[in-house]
Amino acid sequence: MNLSPNQFVVVVTRPGTPLRFQLECTGEVVAGRAEACDIVLADDVVSRQHASLQRLGEQLLIRDLGSRNGTTVNGRRFAGSEAFAPARATVQIGPFQLAVSLPESASDSTTVMAVQAMNARCYLDPGLHAFYVDGSMAIEGLAGREFALLERLARAAPNVVPNQDLADSIWGEGQWDVYMLHNLVRRVRRKIGEVTADEVLVTVPGAGYRLL
């Protein structure tokens, strides 16, 4: 599959923490603290809508959206509201680094390194099959269905995933029953509980499950 001509890749890290996730973006995306942003950066020094990123041909257009603390591109805080950068650039927003690149073909675009919940509290590392809460590893070595459960919830967070949608994505349509789902959730919740007493995987009676 060919990439869209306005597609680009963003790898987000927070130096000094295990946070690392990758997003494939199309069009103009907004990074900021608000949960409605395309790239959620949960830190008080980040403005609710901090900056936007967009591919224009073989360049990147970075706009500061009136943030309190400014935006840095390739080590320099740019003057004015926008800056053009080459095909690869490092954007600093508060404590977060966004490595932005322009893949030329589908083979240049790697798979998602991590799946982050929209509230930025929880994320998954597919390489380690690990689940992180608040920057700390909560579970390492997730079994296949455990990982599938948390991946589906993380992609939807903080929204509720209905029981049927959740189970169909794990076992396949018509290949599960409610006890299988409840037992899987119980097992994952028990593993999370060994690391943190905070409620993370929540049951929404009559609706489904979600991650806080």
Side-chain angles (χ1 to χ4, degrees):
M1 180 177 66
N2 293 327
L3 292 173
S4 166
N6 61 350
Q7 189 166 354
F8 58 99
V9 176
V10 182
V11 178
V12 180
T13 58
R14 182 168 183 164
T17 77
L19 177 66
R20 181 181 176 86
F21 64 96
Q22 175 172 306
L23 299 169
E24 293 181 1
C25 305
T26 301
E28 185 175 18
V29 298
V30 175
R33 192 178 77 250
E35 291 184 3
C37 289
D38 303 294
I39 303 174
V40 180
L41 305 174
D43 192 282
D44 288 342
V45 303
V46 178
S47 296
R48 289 184 60 78
Q49 291 189 324
H50 196 107
S52 69
L53 310 171
Q54 185 178 7
R55 176 177 181 172
L56 293 179
E58 296 307 306
Q59 287 188 308
L60 295 159
L61 173 61
I62 297 99
R63 290 190 177 97
D64 186 272
L65 302 178
S67 68
R68 296 189 312 273
N69 297 308
T71 304
T72 300
V73 179
N74 292 337
R76 295 180 133 188
R77 182 167 175 174
F78 59 88
S81 62
E82 62 184 41
F84 286 91
R88 294 181 181 274
T90 299
V91 180
Q92 186 82 31
I93 298 178
F96 300 95
Q97 288 186 356
L98 284 66
V100 190
S101 60
L102 309 183
E104 297 178 355
S105 66
S107 61
D108 293 330
S109 178
T110 57
T111 56
V112 174
M113 291 179 179
V115 180
Q116 182 196 35
M118 288 298 293
N119 59 7
R121 245 197 111 193
C122 308
Y123 65 98
L124 291 160
D125 185 328
L128 296 176
H129 264 219
F131 180 63
Y132 293 80
V133 179
D134 296 329
S136 299
M137 184 184 290
I139 309 175
E140 183 178 13
L142 287 159
R145 287 184 178 132
E146 294 171 348
F147 184 87
L149 171 77
L150 290 172
E151 181 182 36
R152 181 69 180 84
L153 292 171
R155 289 188 184 280
N159 297 319
V160 176
V161 180
N163 290 333
Q164 182 168 343
D165 291 353
L166 185 57
D168 283 351
S169 69
I170 298 169
W171 287 281
E173 188 175 353
Q175 303 301 309
W176 59 277
D177 61 44
V178 68
Y179 299 104
M180 293 166 62
L181 178 59
H182 289 175
N183 286 336
L184 177 62
V185 169
R186 188 180 303 115
R187 185 165 70 245
V188 171
R189 190 178 276 151
R190 184 171 63 248
K191 289 185 176 183
I192 296 173
E194 292 174 358
V195 177
T196 176
D198 291 346
E199 190 174 29
V200 176
L201 203 173
V202 177
T203 303
V204 180
Y209 298 92
R210 70 186 185 103
L211 290 176
L212 290 181

